Amino acid sequence: MEMLLSTKGITICLLFFVLSLAAAIEIPLSVAQLPTITEQSHTQVAYPFDEDFTIKCEARGNPQPIFNWTKDGKPFDLLSDPRIVSSNNSGTFVIQNRGIITNFQGKYRCFASNVLGTAMSEEIELIVPSVPKFPKEKIEPLDVEHGDSVILHCNPPKGIPPLHIYWMNIDLQHIPQDERVSMSLKGDLYFANVEENDSRSDYCCFAAFPRLRTIVQKMPMTLKVSRFKHANDSGSPNAAVTKANFIKERKPKLLIPPESAGSSSSVTVIKGGVLLLECIAEGLPTPHLSWVKVTGNLPKDEPETENFGKILKIDQVTAADEGTYQCTASNPMGRAKHEFHVHVEEPPRWIKEPEGGVYSVGTNLVLLCEAIGNPEPTIQWKLNGMPIDSRTFRGRISAREISLTNLQLQDSAVYQCEASNKHGTILASANVNVLNIAPLILTSDGENYATVVGYSAFLHCEIFASPAADIRWTKDDSIEPLSTLRYELNKNGTLEIKETKKEDSGSYACWAANSVGKRAITANLDIRDATKLVVTPKNPRVLKSHSVLLKCQSEYDSHLKHSFKLSWRKDGDELPVNSTEDGRIILDRDTLFISSVALEDQGVYTCVASTSLDSVTAESQLIVLDVPDPPEDLQLSENQNRSVRLSWKAGTSHNSPINESIIEFEENRWEPGRWQELTRAPGNDTTALLSLAPYVNYQFRIVSVNAVGRSQPSKPSLRYATPPAAPDKNPENIRVEASEPDEMVMKWEPLKPVERNGPGLEYKVSWRQRGVEVDWNEETVKKHSLTLRNTPTFVPYEIKVQAVNNLGSGPEPNVTIGYSGEDVPDAAPSGVSVDIVNSTLVKVFWFGIPRDRVRGHLRGYKVSWWKTKSMLDGKRHHPEKHFLTFVGDRNYGMIPGLEPFSEFRLTVLAYNAKGDGPESSPVVFETPEGVPEQPRFLRILNFDKDSVTLSWGLPKKANGHLTGYILQYQIINETHEIGPLNDISVTNRSTLSWRLSGLRSSTKYKFYVKACTVKGCGKPVTEEGLTMAQGTYAGIYDGISTQGWFIGLMCAIALLTLLLLTICFVRRNKGGKYSVKEKEDLHPDPEAQSIKDEIFGEYSDSDEKPLKGSLQSINGDIKATESADSLVDYGEGEHGMFNEDGSFIGAYSGSKEKGSVESTGSSTATFPLHA
């Protein structure tokens, strides 16, 4: 079988040694042995309501013991009364509760005997209580005088304690007790002095016996208290009468203890019990009781008193409580004292009990017996329940010791030691078994054991032998005892194999031998793989309200799969399935999922894997991160006019250190309820000295910040008001704005509310015309602007603005230069000239206007141009103006996007914030010829097996005088293999078709046609076709080009294309944006590229800024230079200048790479493919 073996081994030496089993192992019942009492009753009460009473006595031994009883020291026959029921092989008997059973009361003792000896029980006292009753008696009334002392006696009947006594009236209402009226420990009711209201006829004493479930009542007693009493006993009517209130006051007199006991008495108390000392006194006025310890050690605590100070009580009495205690009863008339000499005694208790055991023949025996008590106990030895006669006993005997030498089998006996004093008797027994037997192996033969690698294995071999046996273990077929450091032989014969390995599996044998004989058993050990666990993730840090999934990955031996179990714990406590009511924590065998993680979910989560052989754990600490708790306990100190110290207690950081504390303020004068940031303190600081502004009623709060986020704000601090002061600063951002040429509006940023520093804030504005006026003009205003009228146009002024309040002025303000209102420029640029860069790009130069003619801040120049006629056909054009804006004070600009071979006019004007100035005189210039655009179409009219006829259209724009066409073709196929490119020059510009011959049959060709001027050739139009083996037409137009449905389809496509082009044209005219950089990259012009490299340097415009039809420039107010990496040389222009084909770029861009073409026939950009 498989057994759970735990406790990981550590290396300990294995000792091959002899075991002594005299007292280590209980004697097997199969071995002859002395009787031993195993169970017995103790003091027992025969309650009248019980049906029977059991007195127990059980013993074991071999042979089976025989039981006998004594009662009060005399033999007691269990058959002497039919109400006694006994059973065989047991000393226990039952007394049936029938009839009078008082004769069973007494002290019983059980004796268990066999041929080897006799065992004796402790005394068992059976108490048969009588039913308690008060005697029937007639109690005479007590007639006393006011102020006398009275005792009402209870004299309760005897019964089983505890006894509870109550004084009540006939209505079962308790008699009130106090320092004057109280009950003694014996139950009597004492009156230190009586009063008239003590008179009543129903003083009843009740005695309660809880264990007997009985309450008995004494006959009611009558007490009469009168105010008058005759002076003589004759009752003569002439006798003098004494009033009851004429009472003689008297000093206290002790009633308990009585005067007859003298001034002192002795009291004995049992150690560990309760000490009760009682003093009750009579007197008038009512005496007061006090206690003091006269001799001995003073108690550590004030003694406890009860019953209105009349009882001194000490629980758990010790020897230190021994001594003299004094009670004192006192009133104004005197005092009375009594001393109690307290003696602490105790019943016997063992210091050394005799210990029996198993002894082999020839050994020696020593039994010790020591007890203490107060008085000192007497010790008596007994042998098999009978007193030892020292004259016949062969050993030595003394009060505390018995010894025997050379033990023999017949010396087996039960020795009893009894210690007694007046407080009780204790009994100890020692079984001396003298045996001579061969080893008995109590462990079963052939047991199967299993453990896991690394754990300890325990192979049991429980042995009983006398004399003691030698034990050794062997493994498999070896006869050599196991003796390496990993093996340890325990005292009980068990073999422990520490830190087991796989090779420890096998068969083991346990051998036991003594002088009488030898025995052996075998045991089998299997070593399994240890269970392994890993919890992932390890120690995760999770934000509050997020989720976390813990995975418990395990490995275990396949033999243990049926016993394998997984469970989860949190902080050591097992997690039940669905451990939260809302189902946030979900356990699914090896996974633990926590949704919406809360702060209380933080802790150590342990995965526990257990099998029948081992148990392992793996932990992962879940750390929950959250924003800090808000700071607490904000305190203000070090109060100054301009500062205060703020201190606080940081809130819990929730596992993410506080990085900083944001201190905010709110003031209730200008913006009540609005919190503003004042300053920040580093994370570890909990105090900050705050700089404050005057005339602000502050309150503060703090927000703590950690890596997770911000805490809730703290509770606000107390308010702190700073006194007013003159302004510390003046307004900033002083500027001049004007809408009219003859006015000047001075504006500034007003001071913030916390910058006012006091009531009555105003602004003192000073100004003078620069270089003209010496004295300052001043005006004080409450708003943050001032308008001056009738000022000269655009002249400089010196301006100052100073803050002023009821407590004074701010610092001396700085002087700001501002200009009065602007007007449009009144002069036009001169010296306008144009340099032709290429067929679509020109550079314009001009001389700027004088500064005094600008009449404002010069914003820049605008260049306007329009086409007047085409140089190709001489046709005049309706003027359509375009313009570009050049920001800043400059004298040149680049005009792109012009049409080649055309005549233009151009003007330049200056502008400022007020508007445009007059234009310069128009300058006329002509653009040179450019390359033509691609032909409108390319078609294959006839395609035979070795020839083809091509037809093409005129270019959309010739951009000059056509000089002819270039026709190119090459072989292509589906495997991307291409043939060489063949060129044919068509020099007659009127030729629009050409027949090619010498082509291969069944071959696919690609054809290119492009138009040329003196400036070069434009982009080609392309078409593809396949020759046929039989010479049949294989072009893409063959066969279907004459079909009606095909013609209709082509017309529809043409209409749709025209519609799309129209829409694009309209949208471009409405402001479509063109990126110069993008267009230039798509259609690079070699001529333009070279010019750009010379003039603009490295051209770059990654932002692709649009050319806008507005007055604003591309670069704002940045002044450009000729080497600037921008479009500043081009300015900003109107989009209406662009044609639908995008000639803004195309007109001035040539072919970047020779032979690059774009097709309109195939609607895709294509290029010659060079083999």
Side-chain angles (χ1 to χ4, degrees):
M1 65 178 178
E2 294 183 347
M3 301 178 61
L4 177 62
L5 302 173
S6 59
T7 311
K8 267 212 161 187
I10 58 173
T11 302
I12 302 178
C13 294
L14 173 77
L15 300 178
F16 179 56
F17 61 95
V18 176
L19 291 175
S20 173
L21 302 177
I25 298 180
E26 184 178 326
I27 305 174
L29 200 55
S30 60
V31 177
Q33 58 186 283
L34 292 162
T36 302
I37 301 294
T38 58
E39 185 179 10
Q40 74 159 85
S41 297
H42 297 281
T43 301
Q44 189 159 340
V45 178
Y47 295 109
F49 42 78
D50 290 336
E51 294 183 357
D52 51 45
F53 322 106
T54 301
I55 299 179
K56 294 182 179 180
C57 179
E58 301 293 342
R60 65 189 292 269
N62 187 6
Q64 176 67 35
I66 298 172
F67 296 90
N68 295 291
W69 287 88
T70 62
K71 176 176 179 287
D72 298 327
K74 298 178 182 180
F76 179 71
D77 185 3
L78 297 182
L79 302 177
S80 62
D81 194 304
R83 291 173 294 178
I84 298 176
V85 180
S86 60
S87 57
N88 294 330
N89 298 326
S90 173
T92 300
F93 64 92
V94 178
I95 302 173
Q96 296 177 339
N97 191 359
R98 299 200 308 265
I100 299 173
I101 61 171
T102 54
N103 59 313
F104 288 112
Q105 180 164 306
K107 295 182 178 180
Y108 294 80
R109 179 162 277 174
C110 173
F111 295 85
S113 306
N114 64 13
V115 293
L116 299 177
T118 301
M120 180 177 67
S121 73
E122 296 178 3
E123 280 191 337
I124 304 169
E125 183 177 7
L126 177 63
I127 301 171
V128 183
S130 59
V131 178
K133 293 181 181 179
F134 278 105
K136 292 185 178 180
E137 58 181 333
K138 183 178 180 182
I139 303 175
E140 295 294 331
L142 284 176
D143 191 358
V144 296
E145 185 180 345
H146 188 285
D148 289 345
S149 81
V150 173
I151 303 174
L152 300 181
H153 295 282
C154 180
N155 298 325
K158 293 183 179 180
I160 300 297
L163 167 64
H164 300 297
I165 298 177
Y166 308 95
W167 283 89
M168 293 186 286
N169 59 22
I170 201 68
D171 296 326
L172 300 181
Q173 298 294 319
H174 286 275
I175 302 298
Q177 297 187 31
D178 52 22
E179 200 170 35
R180 183 178 66 85
V181 181
S182 60
M183 184 180 71
S184 69
L185 292 173
K186 291 183 178 181
D188 297 334
L189 190 62
Y190 285 78
F191 293 80
N193 51 78
V194 295
E195 298 175 354
E196 242 184 308
N197 56 4
D198 293 328
S199 297
R200 63 187 316 135
S201 59
D202 56 354
Y203 282 95
C204 299
C205 179
F206 291 85
F209 300 89
R211 295 177 67 185
L212 295 176
R213 306 176 189 176
T214 300
I215 299 177
V216 292
Q217 174 189 350
K218 187 172 181 146
M219 296 296 292
M221 289 174 269
T222 299
L223 175 64
K224 295 181 180 179
V225 180
S226 61
R227 283 186 173 272
F228 299 98
K229 189 173 181 181
H230 290 287
N232 60 0
D233 294 333
S234 62
S236 170
N238 298 323
V241 178
T242 304
K243 291 187 177 180
N245 57 2
F246 184 72
I247 299 173
K248 294 180 180 180
E249 293 182 337
R250 60 191 183 277
K251 68 178 183 178
K253 174 184 176 182
L254 288 175
L255 303 177
I256 296 179
E259 285 188 338
S260 59
S263 61
S264 65
S265 58
S266 295
V267 176
T268 300
V269 62
I270 301 298
K271 182 179 179 181
V274 179
L275 172 63
L276 296 172
L277 301 180
E278 183 177 36
C279 278
I280 297 180
E282 63 93 5
L284 190 68
T286 301
H288 172 73
L289 271 296
S290 61
W291 294 87
V292 66
K293 188 175 184 183
V294 179
T295 62
N297 296 326
L298 294 175
K300 293 181 180 179
D301 301 319
E302 187 71 20
E304 180 184 353
T305 60
E306 295 180 349
N307 199 18
F308 310 101
K310 298 175 184 181
I311 297 175
L312 175 68
K313 180 180 180 181
I314 300 178
D315 291 314
Q316 296 293 322
V317 171
T318 65
D321 296 319
E322 198 168 65
T324 300
Y325 295 82
Q326 183 184 80
C327 75
T328 302
S330 59
N331 68 6
M333 305 305 297
R335 62 182 59 191
K337 298 181 180 180
H338 187 86
E339 289 185 349
F340 296 90
H341 302 293
V342 176
H343 303 281
V344 179
E345 297 185 353
E346 63 175 320
R349 60 185 176 89
W350 294 116
I351 296 298
K352 180 69 176 179
E353 295 184 57
E355 296 181 358
V358 177
Y359 297 85
S360 57
V361 173
T363 58
N364 298 327
L365 168 69
V366 176
L367 298 179
L368 300 177
C369 182
E370 294 183 37
I372 60 171
N374 191 5
E376 184 177 353
T378 60
I379 294 179
Q380 182 185 19
W381 286 97
K382 292 183 179 182
L383 179 65
N384 293 325
M386 301 298 292
I388 298 177
D389 187 351
S390 59
R391 295 171 298 178
T392 60
F393 184 64
R394 77 176 188 89
R396 297 179 58 185
I397 183 171
S398 67
R400 291 182 173 82
E401 181 180 314
I402 281 182
S403 62
L404 279 172
T405 58
N406 191 22
L407 289 173
Q408 300 300 313
L409 293 176
Q410 59 269 24
D411 289 326
S412 294
V414 181
Y415 290 83
Q416 290 98 9
C417 178
E418 202 168 48
S420 305
N421 67 10
K422 66 178 182 180
H423 298 297
T425 300
I426 55 176
L427 175 69
S429 297
N431 288 13
V432 177
N433 290 278
V434 183
L435 300 175
N436 192 42
I437 60 173
L440 293 177
I441 300 182
L442 307 179
T443 304
S444 300
D445 188 17
E447 289 280 5
N448 294 316
Y449 300 89
T451 188
V452 296
V453 174
Y455 280 64
S456 291
F458 295 89
L459 308 184
H460 300 299
C461 186
E462 187 176 357
I463 295 174
F464 179 81
S466 180
D470 296 336
I471 301 176
R472 63 190 179 94
W473 283 85
T474 61
K475 183 175 185 294
D476 296 331
D477 297 330
S478 173
I479 60 173
E480 293 297 322
L482 300 172
S483 58
T484 63
L485 296 178
R486 290 195 304 113
Y487 299 102
E488 181 177 347
L489 188 60
N490 296 329
K491 289 183 178 180
N492 61 1
T494 297
L495 174 67
E496 179 181 359
I497 307 174
K498 300 181 180 291
E499 298 181 355
T500 55
K501 304 175 182 178
K502 278 286 189 178
E503 52 266 28
D504 291 326
S505 296
S507 178
Y508 292 78
C510 173
W511 302 82
N514 66 4
S515 59
V516 183
K518 63 180 179 180
R519 297 282 173 82
I521 62 168
T522 60
N524 299 311
L525 176 62
D526 289 323
I527 305 298
R528 308 298 190 198
D529 291 327
T531 305
K532 298 178 182 179
L533 278 186
V534 174
V535 175
T536 56
K538 185 71 172 177
N539 304 334
R541 300 169 68 86
V542 181
L543 292 176
K544 181 186 175 186
S545 300
H546 286 223
S547 300
V548 65
L549 176 67
L550 298 180
K551 178 78 172 177
C552 186
Q553 299 171 336
S554 59
E555 293 181 8
Y556 54 89
D557 194 288
S558 59
H559 295 86
L560 306 177
K561 63 181 180 180
H562 297 297
S563 63
F564 179 76
K565 294 180 181 178
L566 273 181
S567 61
W568 289 88
R569 296 176 186 166
K570 179 181 182 290
D571 297 330
D573 298 327
E574 186 160 354
L575 281 175
V577 179
N578 297 330
S579 57
T580 56
E581 294 181 0
D582 53 3
R584 287 192 311 106
I585 301 180
I586 300 174
L587 300 179
D588 184 11
R589 188 173 169 79
D590 60 346
T591 60
L592 171 62
F593 179 72
I594 307 176
S595 62
S596 187
V597 171
L599 292 176
E600 57 267 21
D601 294 327
Q602 178 168 297
V604 177
Y605 289 83
T606 305
C607 178
V608 182
S610 61
T611 66
S612 58
L613 296 181
D614 65 346
S615 178
V616 293
T617 62
E619 295 180 349
S620 181
Q621 183 174 10
L622 175 61
I623 301 171
V624 181
L625 307 177
D626 195 12
V627 298
D629 287 341
E632 300 175 343
D633 193 21
L634 274 63
Q635 301 290 335
L636 299 177
S637 60
E638 302 179 20
N639 301 349
Q640 302 293 329
N641 288 348
R642 295 290 186 101
S643 68
V644 68
R645 181 168 294 279
L646 177 63
S647 303
W648 64 91
K649 292 181 181 177
T652 304
S653 65
H654 295 306
N655 302 307
S656 179
I658 296 176
N659 300 327
E660 62 179 356
S661 297
I662 302 173
I663 302 173
E664 300 178 334
F665 74 92
E666 181 264 351
E667 52 81 26
N668 58 5
R669 178 174 287 112
W670 313 109
E671 296 175 289
R674 178 174 177 260
W675 289 92
Q676 306 174 59
E677 181 175 328
L678 179 62
T679 187
R680 299 192 177 202
N684 295 329
D685 291 357
T686 56
T687 182
L689 187 64
L690 307 181
S691 297
L692 307 180
Y695 197 53
V696 178
N697 190 16
Y698 287 96
Q699 70 173 345
F700 307 98
R701 72 180 187 187
I702 303 175
V703 176
S704 295
V705 183
N706 65 7
V708 180
R710 295 189 174 197
S711 71
Q712 291 294 317
S714 67
K715 293 182 179 179
S717 69
L718 298 176
R719 285 201 174 271
Y720 180 67
T722 54
D728 293 325
K729 61 179 296 186
N730 291 314
E732 297 176 347
N733 192 21
I734 299 171
R735 60 198 182 278
V736 174
E737 297 179 0
S739 59
E740 298 298 332
D742 60 348
E743 73 175 13
M744 181 173 66
V745 180
M746 295 173 283
K747 293 185 177 181
W748 55 90
E749 294 293 333
L751 295 183
K752 298 177 182 178
V754 295
E755 297 172 342
R756 299 188 175 205
N757 287 11
L761 177 68
E762 293 181 324
Y763 301 100
K764 184 173 73 173
V765 184
S766 305
W767 72 92
R768 65 184 178 187
Q769 189 173 340
R770 188 178 186 183
V772 177
E773 297 178 306
V774 176
D775 296 330
W776 290 90
N777 304 289
E778 294 182 353
E779 185 172 341
T780 301
V781 296
K782 293 184 178 180
K783 57 185 180 179
H784 53 279
S785 67
L786 176 63
T787 302
L788 299 181
R789 304 192 185 278
N790 300 319
T791 59
T793 300
F794 198 66
V795 296
Y797 279 85
E798 295 178 344
I799 304 168
K800 297 189 298 184
V801 181
Q802 186 178 33
V804 180
N805 65 16
N806 292 349
L807 282 84
S809 301
E812 181 63 28
N814 296 324
V815 175
T816 301
I817 304 300
Y819 285 82
S820 57
E822 297 185 30
D823 204 349
V824 297
D826 60 358
S830 60
V832 179
S833 63
V834 176
D835 281 356
I836 304 299
V837 179
N838 58 35
S839 61
T840 62
L841 177 68
V842 299
K843 188 173 184 178
V844 182
F845 296 91
W846 63 87
F847 294 116
I849 66 175
R851 185 171 296 278
D852 59 340
R853 304 295 297 275
V854 177
R855 299 202 295 180
H857 295 289
L858 177 66
R859 294 291 182 89
Y861 292 88
K862 291 181 182 179
V863 177
S864 300
W865 71 94
W866 59 96
K867 180 179 177 181
T868 55
K869 68 177 181 178
S870 171
M871 303 297 294
L872 189 62
D873 55 10
K875 185 186 296 183
R876 290 284 176 177
H877 285 258
H878 178 71
E880 184 179 353
K881 270 196 173 185
H882 313 280
F883 66 87
L884 280 177
T885 300
F886 298 91
V887 178
D889 189 6
R890 57 185 296 164
N891 60 359
Y892 73 94
M894 305 292 287
I895 308 298
L898 301 177
E899 290 188 27
F901 209 43
S902 301
E903 180 185 88
F904 292 89
R905 290 179 182 256
L906 178 147
T907 61
V908 183
L909 62 84
Y911 71 96
N912 60 17
K914 195 66 178 175
D916 296 341
E919 289 184 308
S920 65
S921 299
V923 174
V924 179
F925 66 93
E926 295 177 357
T927 55
E929 292 187 50
V931 295
E933 294 184 5
Q934 65 184 179
R936 296 181 183 273
F937 64 87
L938 173 61
R939 293 174 183 166
I940 301 174
L941 299 182
N942 293 301
F943 209 146
D944 297 329
K945 65 176 181 178
D946 60 353
S947 63
V948 66
T949 301
L950 301 178
S951 173
W952 59 87
L954 292 171
K956 297 176 183 178
K957 288 187 178 180
N959 292 336
H961 299 289
L962 291 177
T963 60
Y965 298 90
I966 298 296
L967 187 152
Q968 298 172 312
Y969 63 96
Q970 64 187 155
I971 297 174
I972 61 173
N973 56 32
E974 302 301 331
T975 60
H976 305 290
E977 294 181 3
I978 59 175
L981 188 66
N982 301 286
D983 292 349
I984 297 176
S985 178
V986 180
T987 57
N988 187 349
R989 63 185 179 183
S990 301
T991 301
L992 295 178
S993 64
W994 195 268
R995 181 171 181 80
L996 292 175
S997 60
L999 304 180
R1000 296 180 186 177
S1001 61
S1002 301
T1003 303
K1004 189 174 183 180
Y1005 282 88
K1006 187 168 186 177
F1007 303 96
Y1008 310 83
V1009 175
K1010 51 187 175 182
C1012 303
T1013 65
V1014 293
K1015 288 294 185 180
C1017 298
K1019 298 178 182 179
V1021 59
T1022 67
E1023 189 56 83
E1024 296 176 1
L1026 179 67
T1027 59
M1028 300 299 291
Q1030 288 77 20
T1032 57
Y1033 177 66
I1036 61 172
Y1037 300 106
D1038 187 29
I1040 62 171
S1041 58
T1042 57
Q1043 300 295 322
W1045 63 268
F1046 178 75
I1047 296 172
L1049 178 62
M1050 292 297 102
C1051 292
I1053 293 174
L1055 287 174
L1056 287 174
T1057 303
L1058 181 61
L1059 179 61
L1060 289 173
L1061 290 173
T1062 305
I1063 293 173
C1064 292
F1065 178 80
V1066 172
R1067 291 188 61 186
R1068 287 184 178 182
N1069 279 343
K1070 288 184 177 180
K1073 299 180 180 180
Y1074 291 81
S1075 170
V1076 173
K1077 174 65 176 174
E1078 181 181 359
K1079 289 292 184 177
E1080 184 174 353
D1081 287 344
L1082 287 176
H1083 309 291
D1085 177 42
E1087 185 178 0
Q1089 180 67 35
S1090 62
I1091 295 173
K1092 181 184 73 172
D1093 293 342
E1094 293 176 4
I1095 299 178
F1096 305 113
E1098 183 181 355
Y1099 174 73
S1100 172
D1101 188 13
S1102 59
D1103 291 334
E1104 298 186 354
K1105 298 180 177 61
L1107 301 174
K1108 302 178 182 179
S1110 66
L1111 295 177
Q1112 295 184 357
S1113 71
I1114 293 176
N1115 294 39
D1117 294 328
I1118 299 176
K1119 186 173 182 179
T1121 64
E1122 289 187 357
S1123 61
D1125 293 339
S1126 68
L1127 284 178
V1128 68
D1129 286 346
Y1130 290 96
E1132 295 181 352
E1134 204 176 49
H1135 295 280
M1137 64 175 285
F1138 302 114
N1139 297 324
E1140 62 175 321
D1141 61 351
S1143 59
F1144 168 78
I1145 300 299
Y1148 76 87
S1149 296
S1151 175
K1152 186 173 183 180
E1153 180 181 349
K1154 185 176 182 181
S1156 62
V1157 294
E1158 181 178 334
S1159 170
T1160 55
S1162 61
S1163 301
T1164 57
T1166 58
F1167 297 87
L1169 302 173
H1170 300 280

